[in-house]
């Protein structure tokens, strides 16, 4: 049974991450923050107005990199501390103070980019030839040149950075602090409800009456905050529109895709092709769920119901080690050593507590180790989630060892490939270790419900909705709760057709996704999973050569475009073939589920 979440102070330390690897104490953090501000002032005095030669360029970037390395642990520390307990006043105020100081620092440092771009192409080219270390950074800077504004404008915009981030902060505060979910009742029995317990437990609860009642109660509370949340989101959108117009992009979409290093054709193809061609497969899966669970009708609230609740083992954090290690062993000893360290050195925050951010993420600060946030419920799904986040960790663990801080982060278009790759490795490992029909069905249903439903359906439908939102913003409009509800409902109805009843409350799912405050992020999950599905097939068929290619991709960090990284792994994402292959693979998995269900039912009849 789901229990009320404890306050953070009551959580066992072994379930939490160790932020002392960033700063041993609050005093150390404060001292580092003071040193940073002093060093930034000294840096500006040393270089501002004095960058003229190729040698100057290299010197300023060397010191700029050192400052960047000072900023990263400070920002990571404040962000991670508040993410595990947004009810903590001290963590909130620390995070706000760092945001203000960071904005001031950014404004002071804005001269670097502006002055570099004022130099002639010859000087920049000479610097690139003299320094392999900074050549990629300068190349990307030149690519950005056409969208840069006057140095004083850039300085002013940098000074306002914390204000630009305010909508996301307000969204999280509304979601994790102000929303207090009441208990819900089924057949006279009361059950506790929270954001974490709904998304971690009740949404996939086998008991239909409880699952639907939890969905209704959860949606009712969301509805209370729909107008505030919509206004918050619209503020974020208008800031993006203003920035896009100021910098001279043709649309907000072009502005947001620029840093992803992909064009609109790749963006639209991902959404359009999946919406059209995956829908029939997922409708078949929904019908199977309805049949196996004996549902009177299939509603949106039932889409995460388990296919076989009797095959959903409870897994402890300790037990997860064997699954993770066995599945990821093919990645080699160095990768497995990273996984072992993540457990031994408390890189992961497993706890469930009030005020903790929902979902899961991996933060990978350069110069130290990654940090993973997850709320461990004990379901097998948690193993897939942990493997996913360890995929991010393994990516940056490798990239940081082979690239400098400027070159380590790839395009967000590619960012979800290493994470979903690990999910595929877990799934393939489980499938190869049993011939039991029920176990195989459970594993495949886990792949569909966790890996593909979450990344290829949930996030893809968010992307389709997000595209409609930006069409309105680009046309000079704005959004409110009614508009957002209508857009979300329309996307869901188009995808699920008559197979699934989009019941009241489903339209409010736009309120649950923080990715909308991170640019065009939702569609990149399906892009990453397309790449990782193809690479996982290579690993199954070719073994070590495919793994070696993949490790080289991880080590390349951000030094290549998504298309180039994918090509290194043997996948050509400039065509629609990988995406169509992945959709066909999902369809094949669902056909296998239908077949296995028929065989299991036939065996059950014979046993009678």
């Amino acid at each position: 049974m789901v229990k009320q979440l404890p306050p953070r102070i009551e959580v066992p330390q072994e379930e939490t991450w160790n932020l002392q690897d960033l700063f041993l104490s609050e005093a150390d953090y404060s001292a580092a923050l003071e040193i940073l501000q002093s060093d930034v002032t000294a840096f500006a005095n040393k270089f501002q107005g004095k960058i003229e030669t190729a040698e100057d360029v290299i010197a300023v970037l060397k010191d700029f990199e050192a400052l960047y390395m000072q900023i990263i642990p400070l920002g990571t520390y404040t962000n991670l501390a508040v993410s595990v307990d947004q009810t903590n006043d001290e963590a909130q105020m620390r995070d706000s103070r760092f945001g203000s100081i960071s904005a001031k620092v950014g404004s002071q440092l804005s001269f670097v980019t502006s002055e570099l771009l004022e130099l002639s192409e010859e000087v920049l080219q000479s610097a690139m030839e003299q320094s392999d270390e900074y050549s990629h950074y300068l190349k990307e800077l030149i690519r950005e040149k056409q969208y840069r504004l006057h140095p004083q404008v850039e300085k002013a915009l940098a000074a306002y950075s914390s204000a630009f981030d305010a909508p996301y902060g307000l969204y999280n505060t509304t979601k994790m602090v102000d929303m207090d979910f009441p208990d819900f009742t089924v057949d006279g029995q009361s059950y506790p409800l929270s954001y974490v317990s709904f998304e971690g437990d009740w949404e996939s609860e086998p008991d239909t009456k409880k699952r639907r009642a939890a969905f209704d109660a959860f949606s009712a509370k969301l509805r209370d905050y729909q107008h505030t949340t919509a206004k918050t989101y619209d503020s974020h959108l208008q800031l993006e529109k203003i920035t896009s117009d100021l910098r001279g992009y043709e649309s907000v979409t072009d502005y947001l895709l620029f840093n992803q290093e992909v064009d609109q054709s790749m963006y639209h193809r991902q959404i359009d092709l999946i919406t059209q061609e995956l829908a029939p497969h997922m409708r078949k899966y929904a019908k199977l769920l309805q049949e196996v669970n004996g549902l009177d009708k299939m509603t949106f609230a039932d889409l995460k119901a388990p296919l076989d609740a009797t095959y959903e083992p409870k897994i402890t954090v300790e037990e997860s080690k064997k699954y993770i290690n066995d599945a990821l062993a093919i990645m080699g000893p160095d990768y497995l050593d990273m996984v072992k360290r993540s457990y031994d050195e408390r890189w992961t925050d497993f706890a469930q507590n009030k005020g903790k951010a929902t979902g899961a993420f991996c933060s990978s600060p350069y110069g130290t180790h990654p940090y993973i946030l997850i709320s461990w419920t004990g379901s097998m799904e948690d193993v897939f989630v942990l493997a996913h986040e360890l995929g991010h960790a393994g990516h940056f663990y490798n990239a940081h060892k082979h690239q400098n801080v400027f070159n380590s982060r790839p395009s967000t278009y590619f960012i979800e490939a290493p994470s979903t790759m690990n999910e595929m490795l877990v799934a393939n490992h489980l499938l190869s270790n049993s011939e039991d029909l029920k176990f195989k069905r459970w594993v495949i249903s886990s792949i569909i419900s966790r890996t593909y439903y979450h990344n290829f359906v949930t996030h893809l439908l968010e992307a389709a909705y997000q595209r409609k939102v930006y069409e309105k913003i680009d046309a000079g409009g704005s959004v409110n709760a009614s508009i957002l509800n209508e857009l979300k409902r329309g996307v869901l109805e188009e995808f699920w057709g008559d197979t699934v009843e989009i019941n009241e409350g489903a339209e409010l799912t736009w309120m649950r996704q923080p990715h909308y405050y991170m640019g065009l992020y939702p569609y990149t999950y399906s892009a990453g999973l397309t790449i990782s599905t193809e690479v996982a097939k290579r690993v199954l068929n070719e073994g070590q050569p495919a793994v070696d290619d993949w490790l080289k991709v991880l080590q390349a960090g951000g030094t290549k475009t998504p298309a180039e990284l994918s090509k290194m792994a043997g996948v050509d994402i400039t065509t629609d073939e990988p995406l169509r292959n992945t959709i066909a693979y999902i369809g094949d998995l669902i056909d296998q589920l239908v077949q296995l269900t028929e065989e299991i039912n036939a065996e059950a009849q014979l046993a009678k």
Side-chain angles (χ1 to χ4, degrees):
M1 177 180 166
V2 177
K3 299 178 181 178
Q4 290 282 10
L5 294 179
R8 180 72 177 180
I9 196 171
E10 294 179 8
V11 170
Q13 186 184 63
E14 62 269 19
E15 295 180 11
T16 67
W17 52 28
N18 180 19
L19 296 187
Q20 287 187 324
D21 289 345
L22 291 165
F23 294 101
L24 282 173
S25 67
E26 190 69 22
D28 288 341
Y29 164 79
S30 298
L33 192 58
E34 292 298 320
I35 291 170
L36 171 68
Q37 294 173 82
S38 174
D39 287 352
V40 166
T41 300
F43 173 84
N45 291 334
K46 179 179 179 181
F47 288 108
Q48 192 163 10
K50 302 168 187 174
I51 308 172
E52 297 175 354
T53 67
E55 290 72 23
D56 294 337
V57 171
I58 296 168
V60 74
L61 287 179
K62 188 175 181 64
D63 284 11
F64 187 51
E65 181 183 12
L67 284 177
Y68 206 63
M69 293 285 288
Q70 289 177 249
I71 295 169
I72 288 171
L74 290 162
T76 303
Y77 183 77
T78 62
N79 177 261
L80 295 185
V82 79
S83 69
V84 291
D85 188 5
Q86 297 185 47
T87 67
N88 185 313
D89 289 341
E90 182 182 344
Q92 279 192 12
M93 295 311 295
R94 184 200 299 116
D95 192 48
S96 295
R97 180 168 180 257
F98 177 77
S100 298
I101 292 173
S102 179
K104 181 182 177 183
V105 165
S107 182
Q108 286 178 278
L109 296 177
S110 67
F111 78 89
V112 175
T113 302
S114 295
E115 291 192 20
L116 287 176
L117 288 177
E118 287 176 351
L119 297 173
S120 68
E121 291 275 347
E122 290 76 17
V123 170
L124 292 177
Q125 190 62 44
S126 177
M128 292 168 69
E129 291 170 358
Q130 292 181 44
S131 173
D132 288 339
E133 193 174 4
Y134 301 123
S135 61
H136 181 74
Y137 175 85
L138 291 170
K139 178 184 173 184
E140 288 301 300
L141 201 63
I142 292 169
R143 191 172 78 92
E144 187 187 344
K145 185 173 185 176
Q146 62 181 311
Y147 300 114
R148 295 289 297 184
L149 302 171
H150 187 279
Q152 289 303 314
V153 178
E154 292 291 348
K155 184 175 183 178
L157 288 174
Y160 276 104
S161 62
S162 61
F164 292 156
D165 292 337
Y168 183 40
L170 179 57
Y171 166 79
N172 279 321
T173 300
T174 303
K175 177 179 175 179
M176 300 311 304
V177 181
D178 285 347
M179 284 192 195
D180 188 14
F181 293 85
D183 293 353
F184 67 95
T185 303
V186 177
D187 295 334
Q189 178 70 43
S190 182
Y191 300 93
L193 182 65
S194 68
Y195 231 114
V196 171
S197 68
F198 177 76
E199 294 191 339
D201 291 290
W202 292 122
E203 196 173 24
S204 54
E205 163 65 38
D207 187 308
T208 299
K209 289 176 72 173
K210 292 178 185 177
R211 183 177 64 252
R212 290 178 177 176
F215 179 87
D216 290 341
F218 183 76
S219 299
K221 179 53 65 175
L222 289 184
R223 191 172 288 107
D224 289 344
Y225 289 87
Q226 62 179 318
H227 299 294
T228 298
T229 307
K231 189 65 178 177
T232 300
Y233 183 37
D234 187 56
S235 298
H236 172 77
L237 293 167
Q238 299 305 326
L239 285 170
E240 287 182 321
K241 173 64 173 170
I242 292 167
T243 305
S244 170
D245 288 347
L246 276 176
R247 294 198 178 281
Y249 290 90
E250 290 187 15
S251 68
V252 179
T253 300
D254 288 316
Y255 162 56
L256 296 175
L257 287 176
F258 180 81
N259 285 333
Q260 292 187 9
E261 299 181 282
V262 297
D263 58 27
Q264 285 211 26
S265 66
M266 291 174 68
Y267 166 67
H268 292 302
R269 181 180 67 204
Q270 202 72 24
I271 297 172
D272 292 337
L273 204 59
I274 297 176
T275 302
Q276 294 160 12
E277 298 193 11
L278 183 63
H281 297 303
M282 293 310 299
R283 290 174 189 177
K284 181 187 287 189
Y285 175 68
K287 287 177 181 176
L288 180 64
L289 277 179
Q290 181 180 359
E291 177 189 333
V292 171
N293 285 285
L295 302 179
D296 56 332
K297 59 183 177 180
M298 191 67 189
T299 75
F300 185 82
D302 301 316
L303 283 169
K304 291 196 173 180
L307 191 61
D308 188 347
T310 65
Y311 253 81
E312 186 61 39
K314 285 295 179 182
I315 305 291
T316 66
V317 171
E318 184 63 29
E319 289 167 342
S320 74
K321 293 178 182 179
K322 179 170 173 54
Y323 284 103
I324 295 288
N325 285 334
D326 289 351
L328 302 185
I330 195 168
M331 294 296 291
D334 186 57
Y335 199 98
L336 277 190
D337 180 63
M338 178 213 70
V339 172
K340 183 177 186 300
R341 288 182 59 200
S342 75
Y343 285 100
D344 295 346
E345 299 173 17
R346 288 174 46 216
W347 294 5
T348 305
D349 200 275
F350 294 101
Q352 291 193 58
N353 59 264
K354 290 179 182 177
K356 185 174 179 178
T358 59
F361 66 74
C362 177
S363 175
S364 299
Y366 196 98
T368 185
H369 59 74
Y371 282 91
I372 293 171
L373 179 141
I374 181 175
S375 293
W376 193 266
T377 65
S379 72
M380 190 63 194
E381 180 174 331
D382 290 341
V383 176
F384 282 93
V385 176
L386 182 57
H388 179 105
E389 300 307 334
L390 282 167
H392 287 305
H395 188 185
F396 289 102
Y397 174 82
N398 276 276
H400 290 174
K401 288 208 297 190
H402 292 84
Q403 306 296 335
N404 67 28
V405 69
F406 295 136
N407 296 349
S408 63
R409 189 170 186 84
S411 157
T412 52
Y413 184 94
F414 190 85
I415 211 81
E416 294 299 337
S419 54
T420 53
M421 174 66 175
N422 275 14
E423 291 189 55
M424 297 304 300
L425 292 176
V426 169
N428 290 339
H429 169 72
L430 292 174
L431 278 176
S432 67
N433 280 277
S434 177
E435 290 301 318
D436 178 82
L437 293 181
K438 280 200 167 187
F439 182 78
K440 286 186 74 172
R441 184 176 70 166
W442 168 73
V443 173
I444 294 173
S445 68
S446 296
I447 301 169
I448 293 296
S449 62
R450 161 61 210 170
T451 302
Y452 284 109
Y453 184 93
H454 187 68
N455 297 306
F456 241 78
V457 179
T458 299
H459 289 315
L460 192 281
L461 294 182
E462 287 164 355
Y465 152 83
Q466 188 182 40
R467 182 169 64 176
K468 292 180 181 294
V469 169
Y470 281 116
E471 286 171 359
K472 286 188 174 294
I473 300 303
D474 270 324
S478 58
V479 296
N480 59 21
S482 297
I483 290 171
L484 295 174
N485 289 342
E486 181 183 351
L487 292 177
K488 187 63 180 179
R489 176 171 287 278
V491 166
L492 293 173
E493 288 176 343
E494 179 185 357
F495 186 83
W496 291 109
D498 297 333
T499 305
V500 177
E501 177 186 307
I502 308 302
N503 48 309
E504 188 177 353
E507 74 281 359
L508 297 170
T509 53
W510 62 266
M511 296 177 64
R512 295 165 54 183
Q513 185 51 270
H515 290 156
Y516 297 137
Y517 295 84
M518 303 173 190
L520 296 177
Y521 194 16
Y523 91 103
T524 66
Y525 280 86
S526 63
L529 188 50
T530 298
I531 297 164
S532 62
T533 299
E534 293 289 88
V535 177
K537 288 180 191 174
R538 275 199 67 203
V539 171
L540 278 177
N541 295 330
E542 301 174 31
Q544 197 61 46
V547 173
D548 291 343
D549 286 347
W550 188 239
L551 288 171
K552 289 174 185 174
V553 169
L554 302 185
Q555 292 162 8
T559 58
K560 298 183 183 299
T561 67
E564 290 169 338
L565 289 170
S566 302
K567 190 174 182 180
M568 287 174 64
V571 183
D572 184 2
I573 60 169
T574 63
T575 72
D576 62 7
E577 183 181 2
L579 183 52
R580 289 185 186 277
N581 287 345
T582 301
I583 293 171
Y585 177 68
I586 297 170
D588 180 62
L589 288 175
I590 292 170
D591 288 343
Q592 288 183 53
L593 286 180
V594 172
Q595 179 65 32
L596 284 166
T597 299
E598 291 174 354
E599 292 177 19
I600 289 167
N601 290 342
E603 282 191 355
Q605 287 296 322
L606 287 173
K608 286 183 178 179

